[in-house]
Amino acid sequence: MKTEQLIDVLVADNATPQARFPLIYAASLIVAIGVAALIFFASIGVRPDLAAAATSPWVWLKIGVNLALAATSAKLLPRLGEPGQSMGVWGLALLIGPVVLAAGVGAELAMSPASSWWPKLVGTHAKYCLMLIPMLSAGPLACLFFALREGAPTNAGAAGAAAGLLASSMGATLYAFHCTDDSLLFVAVWYSIAIALIVAAGYALGPRLLRW
Amino acid sequence: MPSDGESEEWARLMRQAKRGDAHAYRRFLLSVAPVLRSVARRNCARIGLDGGEAEDVVQETLLAVHLKRHTWDPDRPIAPWIMAIARNKLIDVRRRKGNDANLPIEEMLDTLTADRDDRSLDRMDLDRLLEKLDDRQRELVRALSIEGRSVKETAERLEMSEGAVRVALHRAIKALASLYRGDGQ
């Protein structure tokens, strides 16, 4: 078949309506949030002492750093699904959450005696953190991969990893409402490991599932 | 890169095409194809593939441009979008044809200029992949391309509604793109 003949075929298909990619992404993101919230409330739910804990700025900081990571990766991800798009400032913006977390950890270390550092870091529910954040991330990850498949990621590994980052930081944000380990040291260690696991999974799955 | 004027013209045609203007869409694809050809030939020559194989890349890239055109933001320049797709397809081809030459595909963005030989060669890849479609899809694609029929004529000949022809055609094009990738082969 000659290229001009192929063009005839493509022109005949021009009338097929197509939703714009940002719209598909936005819809998938909403579904991802819905799915994660549904699983969260149906399974573990918020901590019983949330009202009391909400008076502590540390608890809000714990939630806030995860939310910042989710929000910045949500802005970055669609750019990785459009050919010829650069990450712009959003690659750098990913650092907002981690930088605030690092500052918070520094403040916490300065304000507490060294003998309390290790127990804070180990916490009481590290195992649940490592299991439940990935569990809450799985549904959103599937939604985001669906969206990316509708797009055209030119770097499938990076797009997969970014989807993993968004899904797991959404999971981590929700989990932060359940988790009673309120030390930022705990967050910096265990939340980070849980998130890194899902980022690695996204990176590995990207080249397999995001070809187009 | 294509000249700014050319890129603006492509963007204009693509915007019209998005509004359903088939004529503008044809002009867009016919204008992009020679540029893709020159990019593909240059890069294929460097990784040890001939001009015919380069034409396969052109066809595969056009398919991708078509199926992914909703990822182009009409407020952004279109040439970088097209070239990113072309580059992606060249990398795929380099991987698929087992030539692991480390020559970077990126360079094409700088070296791309004239040398626009407009002859397109009759290619085998697409015909081979067409054989893998189901009978109805293959008949459809043949009618619209090689036989040069319109959607309306094709619908009458295959005793389908025009809507059904359009749906089946879109599926066939997606199936072809997936066959190019090597899914299910």
Side-chain angles (χ1 to χ4, degrees):
Chain A
M1 191 191 288
K2 286 184 185 297
T3 300
E4 289 74 15
Q5 293 169 326
L6 172 67
I7 288 175
D8 288 339
V9 176
L10 302 182
V11 169
D13 189 44
N14 184 46
T16 305
Q18 274 186 311
R20 283 188 51 207
F21 175 66
L23 198 68
I24 297 171
Y25 173 69
S28 305
L29 187 58
I30 291 169
V31 174
I33 294 169
V35 165
L38 198 71
I39 293 174
F40 174 73
F41 286 109
S43 58
I44 55 179
V46 299
R47 59 200 281 181
D49 63 341
L50 184 66
T55 58
S56 159
W58 296 104
V59 172
W60 288 110
L61 201 52
K62 176 174 77 164
I63 294 165
V65 293
N66 286 297
L67 192 59
L69 193 57
T72 48
S73 49
K75 289 295 285 184
L76 174 68
L77 185 59
R79 293 176 162 259
L80 298 176
E82 293 185 3
Q85 268 275 31
S86 65
M87 294 202 285
V89 297
W90 294 105
L92 208 61
L94 288 182
L95 294 174
I96 294 172
V99 165
V100 171
L101 177 61
V105 168
E108 191 178 344
L109 292 179
M111 289 162 66
S112 57
S115 61
S116 71
W117 293 354
W118 184 249
K120 281 176 182 242
L121 185 152
V122 174
T124 48
H125 297 299
K127 198 172 69 182
Y128 289 109
C129 174
L130 292 183
M131 284 187 328
L132 294 174
I133 289 179
M135 181 198 89
L136 292 169
S137 311
L141 188 63
C143 295
L144 298 173
F145 263 76
F146 166 82
L148 286 174
R149 282 172 66 89
E150 293 296 307
T154 46
N155 186 339
L165 185 63
L166 174 53
S168 57
S169 52
M170 279 167 57
T173 304
L174 284 169
Y175 182 72
F177 281 95
H178 173 80
C179 159
T180 52
D181 288 299
D182 290 333
S183 164
L184 291 180
L185 261 176
F186 181 90
V187 175
V189 174
W190 302 107
Y191 280 50
S192 301
I193 293 175
I195 287 172
L197 287 174
I198 302 301
V199 170
Y203 179 76
L205 288 171
R208 270 164 243 213
L209 298 178
L210 299 178
R211 296 184 58 218
W212 46 277
Chain B
M1 291 289 269
S3 72
D4 285 351
E6 193 162 40
S7 186
E8 299 251 322
E9 175 70 1
W10 288 348
R12 196 178 61 76
L13 290 171
M14 189 62 131
R15 280 189 213 106
Q16 288 176 346
K18 274 174 182 270
R19 289 195 292 268
D21 184 340
H23 181 66
Y25 192 43
R26 180 183 304 278
R27 280 176 55 204
F28 166 78
L29 293 171
L30 286 173
S31 167
V32 166
V35 177
L36 292 179
R37 188 166 295 126
S38 129
V39 172
R41 285 190 181 164
R42 234 161 246 261
N43 279 281
C44 282
R46 283 207 315 226
I47 60 179
L49 301 175
D50 65 29
E53 283 164 307
E55 195 66 23
D56 287 334
V57 178
V58 172
Q59 297 189 351
E60 193 184 350
T61 307
L62 285 172
L63 263 177
V65 163
H66 174 73
L67 285 173
K68 296 300 183 183
R69 64 197 192 283
H70 62 297
T71 64
W72 173 61
D73 175 349
D75 296 330
R76 290 171 43 81
I78 199 167
W81 176 80
I82 293 171
M83 291 306 144
I85 291 176
R87 177 169 181 273
N88 199 260
K89 290 298 155 196
L90 278 161
I91 291 171
D92 275 0
V93 165
R94 188 178 57 182
R95 188 185 305 134
R96 206 161 56 217
K97 305 271 182 182
N99 184 323
D100 61 356
N102 285 325
L103 290 162
I105 301 280
E106 288 93 340
E107 276 177 37
M108 77 184 189
L109 294 177
D110 311 322
T111 54
L112 173 60
T113 41
D115 181 38
R116 297 203 182 159
D117 177 355
D118 260 16
R119 271 176 312 121
S120 81
L121 306 162
D122 208 353
R123 284 309 300 161
M124 298 305 294
D125 259 20
L126 198 50
D127 295 279
R128 186 173 55 76
L129 298 179
L130 268 179
E131 293 305 316
K132 301 194 180 204
L133 295 180
D134 68 40
D135 292 348
R136 176 51 54 103
Q137 287 181 331
R138 187 168 53 242
E139 242 183 301
L140 250 177
V141 173
R142 286 234 169 96
L144 288 163
S145 59
I146 295 158
E147 297 162 21
R149 291 176 202 275
S150 69
V151 170
K152 194 157 178 282
E153 288 169 332
T154 307
E156 279 164 14
R157 194 161 139 267
L158 300 178
E159 291 176 347
M160 294 165 76
S161 71
E162 277 188 52
V165 166
R166 290 189 194 284
V167 170
L169 173 66
H170 189 64
R171 288 212 185 115
I173 290 173
K174 282 176 110 166
L176 280 174
S178 136
L179 287 166
Y180 261 115
R181 283 195 300 272
D183 296 355
Q185 268 190 55

